[in-house]
Amino acid sequence: MTLILDTLKLGTKIWLNTVLNTVLGIVLFLGLYDSSFTFFEVLLFSSIFSLIGSFPALILLCMGLHHIRKSTATVRKKYRLFIGLLAFIALLYGIVAYLLVGSNYAVLIILVGVPAALFATSLLASFFQLRALCCFFSCDEFAAVPYTFLFNFLFQQQSPNHHNMQQQLAPANSGTQSNKILIKGLITGGLILLLLIPTIFITELVKEREERQKEIVKEVSSKWAAAQTLTGPFLVVPYTDSYLNSDGKTVPVRTQLIVPAHDLSVNGNIFPEERKRSIYKVLLYKTALQFKGQFKLQWPSDIIEGNLDLANAKLCFALNDFKGIEDDLLVTIGTSTVKMTAGLPVEDFGKIGLSAPISVSTLSLTNGTPFSLMVKIRGSERLHFTPMATTSTFTVHSSWANPSFDGEMLPIERSTSNSGFHALWKFNQANLPFAAVMKQGTVAQNKMAFGVSLVQPADQYAKTMRSVKYAILFIGLTFGLFFIIELMQRKPLHPVQYVLVGIALVIFYALLLSLSEFIIFDYAYSLAALATVTLIALYAQGHFKNWKTSTTLFLMLSVLYAFIFVLIRLEDTALLVGSIGLFLVLALVMFVSRKINWYAPVSVSPSFQTIINE
């Protein structure tokens, strides 16, 4: 009965400590990433959720503690069984969480993040009850020794008794020593997976900063002008059509005919402007475009010329944002000049545009009516056109050196240099889905939009995001390097030291993100990498007390960061170069570790040897 009560008492203490750590973690996480709840709401709901949700873990924990206490295993094995019990419970909760949330959620966060977080919180709770665990496992002599002494006993085969300690310093057999190395390797691998969780938060931070930049660009652009898509000029002619109703009678209906231009020539310049808002730069532009052409056509056979209302014809021009119009749009058509005003008689090209009544006749349209139009307009991000003409040529110049030609058609001629770009598009009626005359509601102009986007020369958020994707290489290779060095020099690193090195590797991304918002990404990467590599190398020198080792570590980590930088800059060949590089890294690791005796005993640290001798 006493054993059951002791088990319930110890299990409840560990359980409550775990719940407290979980609640504090939830409160901290929601406080940083979600401000929609108050502090007391988060505290209340997280406490209730943690207590109810973790109650099955209390039952499993007490059952496991009871069986471990009754077992005849050594004290060291009892501790390891207890740690394995915590890991097993955490893994069960991760599987349950994955089944409840579903496969559409991030598998890494569920299957790795949840068990790792629960295991870490329960292990921390057990650390606070370490003396109680010592007494519970019938090891009262541990209750007065330091925590580091107990850790050395568990993982370096030491005993609290001086006589037993001296016996255990000599390995019983090579299998025992290999198990110690294997356990240390598993712990290192677990720490690598655990440190991938902070990289998820770094990823979310990058996305948040990127969204913030987009909001700033959208805000500034909305006050300047949005991305522009220009269509026209084109004629809209009222027309009386007819159709047969259900009774077989001919019923007249009023519609609009859309007449595109002929031999359209567009020539203009784009003048980029950078505006600074907070720490962000917003790219805007002004443009001056000259439209020239004529309206010349023969009416199709299905169009009855007597039903045309040419007296109410209108010349139209469509765009995306009225705010971008800088000057009045004056159109010279034939021998007259007209001023265009807001409003479109048709919505085939959107609801935004300008129009002006003109006087044309069937004869003038047959012979050809020339027109010219100068458009001065503002916009942001991109400038697109719709080739609404039977034949057309578009020529665009700019001093911007980083264009992106996009849309449905690429230019047939283009040139880019540090001084700017030049692009030329040509169209004819054979490669366009437009007829010489179209009825209202039959135009699919959005499928033919083309043009140019002005691209910022450096997208630091995209590059930072690409570098975060290589976090497993940064952390894994660095930890592997430390693991091999400590085996070769027989001076083991404490898991806490691995965690500190891992935190330094994670902070590299925060440095990179913050610096790249103020300086060029290449410089930001160099500074962040130099700071991180220097810090880790100096920390290694403080542990190994060997400048040669720390210098070698500095050089190897520098090569690693340089290699990742090359992968970030590459696009098409990144997979090929990355695969070859990883193969060479693996070959180097195999070459360096070929003489390591994996069954050799792990040396005892000098500080622990002093404790033993005393």
Side-chain angles (χ1 to χ4, degrees), residues 225-265:
Q228 298 284 11
T229 299
L230 309 181
T231 305
F234 57 93
L235 288 180
V236 175
V237 181
Y239 178 70
T240 302
D241 203 356
S242 60
Y243 72 98
L244 294 177
N245 62 10
S246 58
D247 297 330
K249 294 181 179 181
T250 301
V251 178
V253 60
R254 189 77 167 176
T255 185
Q256 308 276 0
L257 297 181
I258 300 174
V259 181
H262 179 69
D263 291 336
L264 176 64
S265 173

Side-chain angles (χ1 to χ4, degrees), residues 260-394:
H262 179 69
D263 291 336
L264 176 64
S265 173
V266 180
N267 197 331
N269 287 279
I270 300 176
F271 307 99
E273 293 188 12
E274 280 189 335
R275 299 293 177 89
K276 192 171 183 180
R277 178 71 177 271
S278 183
I279 62 173
Y280 303 103
K281 291 181 179 180
V282 181
L283 183 59
L284 309 170
Y285 68 82
K286 292 181 179 180
T287 182
L289 300 166
Q290 179 72 46
F291 290 78
K292 288 185 178 181
Q294 61 177 330
F295 291 104
K296 183 178 181 180
L297 76 159
Q298 295 289 335
W299 295 105
S301 58
D302 60 338
I303 299 297
I304 302 174
E305 295 188 19
N307 292 346
L308 294 169
D309 186 6
L310 294 175
N312 291 312
K314 288 188 176 181
L315 180 67
C316 303
F317 185 85
L319 71 164
N320 280 5
D321 196 341
F322 272 130
K323 292 191 297 293
I325 301 175
E326 290 192 322
D327 294 334
D328 292 336
L329 268 67
L330 301 177
V331 184
T332 301
I333 181 166
T335 58
S336 61
T337 300
V338 295
K339 179 180 178 180
M340 304 186 76
T341 57
L344 288 174
V346 294
E347 295 183 358
D348 293 67
F349 308 101
K351 298 181 180 180
I352 302 175
L354 302 96
S355 61
I358 60 171
S359 177
V360 292
S361 63
T362 302
L363 180 61
S364 64
L365 291 177
T366 301
N367 295 331
T369 303
F371 68 86
S372 64
L373 169 66
M374 173 59 74
V375 177
K376 291 185 178 181
I377 201 167
R378 298 192 306 265
S380 58
E381 294 186 51
R382 68 177 182 271
L383 176 64
H384 277 190
F385 304 92
T386 300
M388 280 296 296
T390 54
T391 57
S392 56
T393 302
F394 296 81

Side-chain angles (χ1 to χ4, degrees), residues 211-226 277-278 280 282 284 323 380-381:
E211 289 298 322
R212 173 60 178 165
Q213 184 197 38
K214 291 180 179 179
E215 290 176 2
I216 293 294
V217 171
K218 185 177 180 181
E219 179 185 352
V220 176
S221 299
S222 65
K223 297 176 181 179
W224 175 265
R277 178 71 177 271
S278 183
Y280 303 103
V282 181
L284 309 170
K323 292 191 297 293
S380 58
E381 294 186 51

Side-chain angles (χ1 to χ4, degrees), residues 34-108:
D34 191 347
S35 59
S36 58
F37 299 97
T38 64
F39 172 79
F40 294 102
E41 288 176 340
V42 174
L43 183 62
L44 177 63
F45 288 113
S46 61
S47 300
I48 296 175
F49 173 79
S50 300
L51 286 171
I52 296 176
S54 63
F55 188 75
L58 173 61
I59 299 175
L60 293 175
L61 180 63
C62 291
M63 293 174 59
L65 284 172
H66 181 73
H67 287 288
I68 293 173
R69 173 65 182 271
K70 292 179 63 177
S71 69
T72 58
T74 62
V75 177
R76 182 182 302 105
K77 191 171 183 180
K78 286 181 180 181
Y79 273 99
R80 293 175 180 173
L81 288 174
F82 172 71
I83 294 175
L85 174 64
L86 297 180
F88 175 72
I89 296 174
L91 182 60
L92 286 180
Y93 270 81
I95 295 174
V96 171
Y98 174 72
L99 295 176
L100 291 177
V101 175
S103 59
N104 291 331
Y105 201 74
V107 178
L108 177 64

